[in-house]
Amino acid sequence: MNYKSKKFQLVSGDLIPFIGFGTFQIRGEQLIKDVLNWALSAGYRSIDTAAVYGNEHDIGLALKDLLPKYNLKREDIFITSKLSPSDQGDGARDAVVKSIQNLQCTYLDLYLVHWPGVSGIPTDSDVNSKSRAASWKSLIKAKDEGLVRNIGVSNYMVKHLTELLADCGGVKPAVNQVEWHPSCHPYDLKQLCDKEGILLQAYSSLGGTGNKNLLKDATVISIALKLGKSPAQILLCWALQQNVAIIPKARAKERIDANIDLNFVIDDEDMTLLGNRKSERYAWNPNTVQ
């Protein structure tokens, strides 16, 4: 399977690459330009950012210079950004406009509600559900205006997604971006997404930091050695073989190149072995948000 060119058809009919380039914690005008230069050269055509990442402006500057370098147009690139939890509510449409201005483009391909809660609001407050419902209505307006082609969510668990689908204004979320790796793979969530035609997109594919980094896991290393691949490639391919999209981030050219070079197959036995782990989240836990 050549995942480098594989795409998923969203509920809108638009196509999104299965492998995107993540930019979380990558900041600085020159660094952003360097990594995006290497990413475009390697074949990435999807870029993932968020308002809270603080790098939209630098991504916009970089793309303005880099797209002509690779004979690319705006429509050749799939750009995703996300709503800050501090902007939940009726003002979500205005947040889309701000991201568009920062990225120096005229529309976004995908815009996600980044978190099911609201900044500064207790997780057990019903303000959270009311605010995310208002956000969705506001994002539908942005979609109708052509500001964004697709809208979706991030960190939505089954309860949040079920709530949204029951009152989505006729517009299903196109994507649900969640923590997904061998130690965190809520299959009930994937089953719901598959049933509704929603693409599940993984973040934190390599696990956490320190001793929770799955790159150092003995099983991952053993399978990597057997296949002649890096531990990172094994973890990324593990998600892809389940039809879960990925957005790996990297700052070094060799890792950027390796993260999209995933044309191999992990056998069923090793796929099961990788997934048979104690369930553990390494990022935040959305289940706490009512």
Side-chain angles (χ1 to χ4, degrees):
M1 171 61 69
N2 183 8
Y3 289 108
K4 186 175 182 177
S5 59
K6 186 177 180 181
K7 296 182 179 181
F8 179 91
Q9 187 173 45
L10 300 172
V11 289
S12 67
D14 288 350
L15 298 176
I16 180 174
F18 257 87
I19 304 177
F21 186 74
T23 64
F24 175 55
Q25 294 182 331
I26 301 179
R27 295 186 181 186
E29 184 176 339
Q30 189 57 52
L31 178 59
I32 285 288
K33 188 169 185 178
D34 287 342
V35 297
L36 290 184
N37 182 35
W38 296 327
L40 292 174
S41 177
Y44 293 83
R45 293 296 181 265
S46 176
I47 299 168
D48 180 271
T49 184
V52 298
Y53 295 175
N55 59 16
E56 288 178 328
H57 182 262
D58 288 337
I59 290 172
L61 288 175
L63 290 178
K64 188 174 183 180
D65 289 341
L66 292 173
L67 292 185
K69 176 180 177 179
Y70 292 99
N71 294 315
L72 296 170
K73 298 178 181 179
R74 165 66 186 89
E75 55 266 31
D76 298 321
I77 301 296
F78 194 100
I79 300 177
T80 300
S81 194
K82 309 179 193 78
L83 177 72
S84 169
S86 63
D87 290 327
Q88 282 271 37
D90 297 330
R93 180 246 178 222
D94 293 338
V96 174
V97 172
K98 186 174 180 180
S99 287
I100 289 173
Q101 292 171 344
N102 286 336
L103 288 159
Q104 298 187 41
C105 55
T106 57
Y107 69 94
L108 298 177
D109 294 283
L110 176 64
Y111 196 78
L112 308 178
V113 179
H114 203 161
W115 181 250
V118 183
S119 293
I121 298 297
T123 56
D124 60 352
S125 171
D126 63 358
V127 171
N128 293 301
S129 61
K130 292 177 180 178
S131 295
R132 60 180 177 258
S135 292
W136 194 252
K137 291 178 182 178
S138 188
L139 291 182
I140 290 176
K141 181 179 180 181
K143 183 177 184 295
D144 289 343
E145 293 175 358
L147 297 172
V148 57
R149 293 180 61 91
N150 302 274
I151 55 177
V153 295
S154 180
N155 296 298
Y156 271 44
M157 299 293 97
V158 169
K159 61 183 179 181
H160 308 122
L161 200 53
T162 300
E163 173 192 76
L164 174 57
L165 289 168
D167 186 23
C168 64
V171 182
K172 288 184 179 181
V175 169
N176 186 15
Q177 187 183 113
V178 299
E179 180 179 0
W180 184 277
H181 48 70
S183 291
C184 180
H185 45 82
Y187 283 121
D188 57 340
L189 179 61
K190 186 176 187 305
Q191 288 172 349
L192 176 58
C193 288
D194 289 347
K195 176 186 175 183
E196 299 293 340
I198 300 167
L199 175 65
L200 196 66
Q201 189 178 54
Y203 70 77
S204 294
S205 297
L206 309 185
T209 59
N211 61 3
K212 293 184 177 181
N213 191 314
L214 294 176
L215 297 174
K216 301 174 183 178
D217 179 79
T219 300
V220 175
I221 292 172
S222 174
I223 296 171
L225 289 172
K226 182 170 72 172
L227 295 177
K229 301 297 178 180
S230 72
Q233 289 175 313
I234 297 299
L235 291 166
L236 295 172
C237 195
W238 180 82
L240 290 171
Q241 283 185 212
Q242 299 171 78
N243 284 321
V244 175
I246 58 173
I247 46 169
K249 65 175 182 180
R251 293 177 174 82
K253 184 180 186 303
E254 59 271 21
R255 291 183 180 178
I256 291 172
D257 290 341
N259 287 346
I260 201 173
D261 182 21
L262 301 171
N263 56 344
F264 65 95
V265 176
I266 303 171
D267 65 36
D268 291 342
E269 183 179 352
D270 285 339
M271 285 290 291
T272 300
L273 189 61
L274 285 166
N276 284 344
R277 302 173 57 88
K278 176 184 176 183
S279 179
E280 186 175 8
R281 289 186 174 275
Y282 300 139
W284 40 68
N285 185 3
N287 286 303
T288 63
V289 182
Q290 298 304 308

